Amino acid sequence: MSRILADRLGYAFTRPDLLSQALTHPSVTHGRAPRKATAYERLEFLGDRVLGLVVAEMLFHRFPTEAEGELARRHAALVRRDSLARIAVSWGIPDYLLLARGEEEGGGRANPAVLADACEAVIGAVFADGGLDPARRLVLAAWAPLMEESPAPPKDAKTALQEWAQGLGRPLPAYETQGVEGPPHEPVFLVSVTVEGEAPVLGRGRSKRSAEQAAATALLKKVKS
């Protein structure tokens, strides 16, 4: 089955086991053995760094007149979870993921976080197998259309919320960490954001920064709906 996915990726693996590892969710092995790093997670780590580099290179050449801050906002939008999940679906990754029964029944095959991680793991597998050139070609082909979707650099949610509040003459949004969920090796931060005149809204993320962005996004959606 993974050979079909490799064909869709346009890459012939010399070590097909790497692709199999990239498609084997940690839930499969964590239920059978003491908790330790899996090949999937290691490939995800590698793919995340490769993706970040190649997307940065793409933006550097595509937008030669933009400042660092503008490029950074584009980069953040292109490597965020939702973008990776979109690519994972376009590659057909959901059809080939190996999940534990509980993860499967919990909707893991359609979970954007799971799909984003698997997308990075697949990129990591291509890099581990063939080096930077095939990994770059894979990312270029998939991300170039996404890059062209935003003529202007996107605004991050915190900036957009701040501008919205200032436009109404209100004080700047206030963020407060409410706690941390999950195990120490995979913490999920809970952050609330408050704008004068609005009820606090909670956001979750793997870092305080991403949780703040999630909270700002949720509040923007609420006030503009």
Side-chain angles (χ1 to χ4, degrees), residues 139-223:
V139 172
L140 285 172
W143 264 264
L146 293 186
M147 187 175 62
E148 298 300 331
E149 288 182 356
S150 298
K155 293 179 180 178
D156 66 81
K158 289 183 64 176
T159 299
L161 182 62
Q162 176 178 316
E163 292 178 352
W164 175 82
Q166 289 179 316
L168 295 176
R170 301 181 186 182
L172 295 178
Y175 297 87
E176 183 176 353
T177 301
Q178 299 296 331
V180 181
E181 297 178 335
H185 61 275
E186 291 182 343
V188 176
F189 293 87
L190 282 70
V191 174
S192 65
V193 59
T194 305
V195 173
E196 183 181 89
E198 305 293 337
V201 173
L202 193 67
R204 290 176 168 80
R206 293 186 178 181
S207 65
K208 288 185 180 180
R209 182 174 181 179
S210 64
E212 290 175 352
Q213 291 287 354
T217 298
L219 184 50
L220 279 170
K221 183 177 180 180
K222 176 183 176 183
V223 299

Side-chain angles (χ1 to χ4, degrees), residues 61-139:
H61 292 294
R62 175 63 181 84
F63 303 101
T65 63
E66 289 190 352
E68 182 271 342
E70 296 171 314
L71 294 175
R73 293 200 300 274
R74 288 188 185 275
H75 190 279
L78 289 170
V79 300
R80 67 187 178 189
R81 183 184 68 183
D82 291 347
S83 297
L84 270 69
R86 283 179 61 187
I87 298 300
V89 171
S90 73
W91 285 343
I93 284 178
D95 296 333
Y96 303 100
L97 274 176
L98 183 60
L99 304 169
R101 182 176 179 180
E103 189 72 31
E104 179 84 51
E105 293 177 347
R109 203 170 295 278
N111 185 327
V114 171
L115 294 179
D117 290 347
C119 181
E120 291 178 334
V122 167
I123 294 170
V126 172
F127 179 86
D129 187 77
L132 183 57
D133 285 345
R136 178 189 283 116
R137 289 194 294 270
L138 179 67
V139 172

Side-chain angles (χ1 to χ4, degrees), residues 11-83:
Y11 178 71
F13 281 84
T14 58
R15 289 185 54 194
D17 61 298
L18 285 169
L19 182 56
S20 296
Q21 292 169 9
L23 298 171
T24 303
H25 189 265
S27 62
V28 175
T29 56
H30 288 171
R32 301 197 302 251
R35 180 65 172 87
K36 62 180 181 179
T38 65
Y40 173 102
E41 292 166 314
R42 288 171 55 81
L43 289 171
E44 176 196 344
F45 167 84
L46 182 60
D48 173 71
R49 273 63 182 179
V50 173
L51 175 64
L53 171 63
V54 176
V55 169
E57 180 186 37
M58 291 171 63
L59 293 171
F60 179 80
H61 292 294
R62 175 63 181 84
F63 303 101
T65 63
E66 289 190 352
E68 182 271 342
E70 296 171 314
L71 294 175
R73 293 200 300 274
R74 288 188 185 275
H75 190 279
L78 289 170
V79 300
R80 67 187 178 189
R81 183 184 68 183
D82 291 347
S83 297

